[in-house]
Amino acid sequence: MAGRYMQEEHKIFRDAFRKFLEKEAYPHYDTWEKDGIIPREFWTKLGENGFLCPWLDERYGGLNADFVYEVIINEELERVGSSLIGVGLHNDIVVPYLDTFGTEEQKERWLPGCISGELITAIAMTEPGAGSDLAGIRTTAVRDGDHYILNGEKTFITNGIHADLVVVVCKTDPAAKPAYKGISLLVVDRNTLGFSRGKKLDKVGLHSQDTAELIFEDARVPVQNLLGEEGQGFYYLMDKLQQERLVVAIAAQVAAEEMLKLTMEYVQNRKAFGQSIGSFQNTRFKIAEMATQIEIGRTFLDDLIVNHMAGKDVVTQVSMAKWWVTDMAKQVASECMQLHGGYGYMEEYEIARRYRDIPVAAIYAGTTEIMKTIIAKNLGL
């Protein structure tokens, strides 16, 4: 669906990206899901074709493209399958930290590789004992001359296996009161001594997305890999979470649209009691309800995209979209599987994969409960 922000050049870009995915992603996606990983070659091809961080400045190799290009990339990747979220994470969540808070030297060192696909990024916030409560993280970075000594464990890290650069949320001042004032961001290179990866995590869905544990044992990280200033990490995270949550809501919206499309096709072709399932009143009402919710979600998101691009503070509305759209997509998955009958439970039908993949959207990038907490607080409660 084309939002009101779509110009002619955006439509041309969407067509080009779709052609790319029809050749490089759709035919291989089932294999990637079985293998449990998306090959690095796919990232390299994305980079070669200008689909990684096109918004970055031309001096690093980017295209100075606006946010609509990112919306298109995220939507088209989600149409292929939810396991491709690692690309959106790299493009719209991690690399913006490097671009906004990095020094010129850091940007010249990292950004060209982020655009070419040579450097894949991840952000390490969650720990085995701390998820939503960022102030409760226990990973520490202690200054030792011109290095930080980093110790701690991170889990549920998207792009965890492939990542060449990891933005690690850590405490450079564990004694800080309040605790969040001791948080800093350190960029850890894949070859850092003392940095290792745990196992690739076995998830209910998103099978080809490489989610992993990361372990830091006296890892020596050069001081020049500090992102921004010490003690400012929490504020940097708050600054970027609006876009992260918007991207997740956009993907969930597309997932819902795709599930409805699949189900519409199925109910029109499947016969029962001498007529198509789609002609039964129950089916028609269910489809009508879902189509209405999906339309409401799309309208709300289009408005948010416009306001986000205009630089407005839409944290409250993005929090609303993040919880409502992901929740709506979960309901759509459940209804669509039911309308598929027994076939919906078969792996060869795409709805089965979609049903598995969607629930986590209500958990990562801030749970539904955290979103409601933010909304209530911003409403003055």
Side-chain angles (χ1 to χ4, degrees):
M1 295 184 191
R4 61 181 186 272
Y5 43 78
M6 292 280 282
Q7 307 297 323
E8 196 51 44
E9 66 265 23
H10 297 128
K11 291 173 186 164
I12 292 165
F13 179 79
R14 189 191 288 278
D15 289 343
F17 192 43
R18 274 188 183 160
K19 282 197 182 81
F20 170 84
L21 293 174
E22 275 158 19
K23 181 171 175 248
E24 303 294 350
Y26 282 100
H28 312 296
Y29 192 80
D30 285 342
T31 306
W32 297 345
E33 286 280 285
K34 286 189 184 78
D35 293 346
I37 198 132
I38 290 157
R40 277 194 79 107
E41 298 85 87
F42 179 68
W43 284 86
T44 314
K45 284 172 185 169
L46 283 168
E48 283 167 2
N49 288 277
F51 301 129
L52 293 179
C53 310
W55 54 271
L56 276 170
D57 199 293
E58 287 170 0
R59 71 175 179 271
Y60 308 116
L63 303 170
N64 272 336
D66 62 36
F67 185 66
V68 181
Y69 288 84
E70 294 308 311
V71 173
I72 292 165
I73 290 169
N74 281 294
E75 288 187 346
E76 294 307 321
L77 289 171
E78 180 60 46
R79 281 187 224 290
V80 180
S82 303
S83 286
L84 287 160
I85 50 156
V87 178
L89 178 102
H90 171 85
N91 280 358
D92 307 318
I93 297 167
V94 190
V95 178
Y97 283 100
L98 305 179
D99 184 58
T100 305
F101 307 115
T103 61
E104 195 48 48
E105 183 277 325
Q106 287 173 331
K107 292 196 229 185
E108 285 169 9
R109 183 153 42 112
W110 294 324
L111 296 182
C114 293
I115 293 168
S116 69
E118 184 192 340
L119 295 178
I120 297 173
T121 62
I123 185 160
M125 294 191 219
T126 306
E127 298 182 0
S132 298
D133 176 17
L134 268 181
I137 61 162
R138 302 190 26 199
T139 298
T140 57
V142 179
R143 182 82 185 250
D144 176 32
D146 54 4
H147 284 82
Y148 286 99
I149 308 300
L150 185 65
N151 279 289
E153 280 181 47
K154 298 288 183 179
T155 193
F156 309 146
I157 307 307
T158 304
N159 294 349
I161 299 292
H162 278 330
D164 305 289
L165 293 176
V166 184
V167 176
V168 179
V169 181
C170 56
K171 281 188 176 164
T172 44
D173 181 5
K177 296 275 186 278
Y180 65 82
K181 290 196 167 171
I183 290 175
S184 302
L185 305 182
L186 272 186
V187 182
V188 180
D189 183 274
R190 77 152 44 238
N191 300 318
T192 304
L193 212 62
F195 166 37
S196 61
R197 294 158 214 265
K199 59 181 184 291
K200 179 180 172 296
L201 300 170
D202 191 11
K203 306 182 297 299
V204 170
L206 304 182
H207 289 165
S208 54
Q209 207 298 306
D210 59 312
T211 314
E213 299 170 323
L214 306 179
I215 301 147
F216 306 97
E217 298 169 291
D218 291 335
R220 293 182 66 79
V221 183
V223 167
Q224 64 255 40
N225 282 23
L226 175 71
L227 205 53
E229 295 173 34
E230 265 196 21
Q232 294 297 302
F234 187 77
Y235 301 103
Y236 298 158
L237 293 166
M238 292 305 107
D239 181 66
K240 293 295 179 202
L241 284 170
Q242 173 172 302
Q243 180 158 300
E244 175 171 359
R245 286 160 182 170
L246 180 55
V247 165
V248 172
I250 290 166
Q253 174 69 29
V254 173
E257 289 167 3
E258 288 296 305
M259 289 187 280
L260 181 64
K261 194 172 88 182
L262 287 174
T263 307
M264 293 271 296
E265 287 166 9
Y266 181 82
V267 298
Q268 282 164 318
N269 293 321
R270 174 81 173 156
K271 299 276 193 294
F273 305 104
Q275 62 195 89
S276 76
I277 295 175
S279 63
F280 292 118
Q281 189 186 52
N282 178 66
T283 307
R284 296 173 75 190
F285 282 8
K286 292 287 186 197
I287 296 282
E289 288 164 17
M290 289 190 283
T292 305
Q293 287 185 303
I294 287 168
E295 189 69 28
I296 291 167
R298 176 52 75 177
T299 307
F300 186 28
L301 277 176
D302 280 355
D303 188 53
L304 278 180
I305 289 163
V306 170
N307 287 330
H308 178 67
M309 286 176 67
K312 293 182 184 172
D313 176 351
V314 282
V315 165
T316 308
Q317 291 77 15
V318 165
S319 304
M320 290 170 172
K322 162 72 169 76
W323 88 257
W324 190 87
V325 177
T326 58
D327 204 56
M328 177 268 287
K330 287 200 301 186
Q331 289 169 22
V332 167
S334 182
E335 293 285 8
C336 287
M337 183 183 254
Q338 185 71 20
L339 288 171
H340 273 76
Y343 288 105
Y345 206 64
M346 298 296 117
E347 284 291 345
E348 70 202 73
Y349 279 78
E350 190 183 327
I351 193 64
R353 161 163 65 78
R354 295 275 176 188
Y355 179 85
R356 282 200 314 272
D357 286 349
I358 201 64
V360 74
I363 297 170
Y364 57 45
T367 62
T368 291
E369 293 73 23
I370 292 290
M371 294 305 102
K372 290 177 182 176
T373 305
I374 291 167
I375 296 160
K377 185 179 167 207
N378 292 356
L379 291 175
L381 293 174

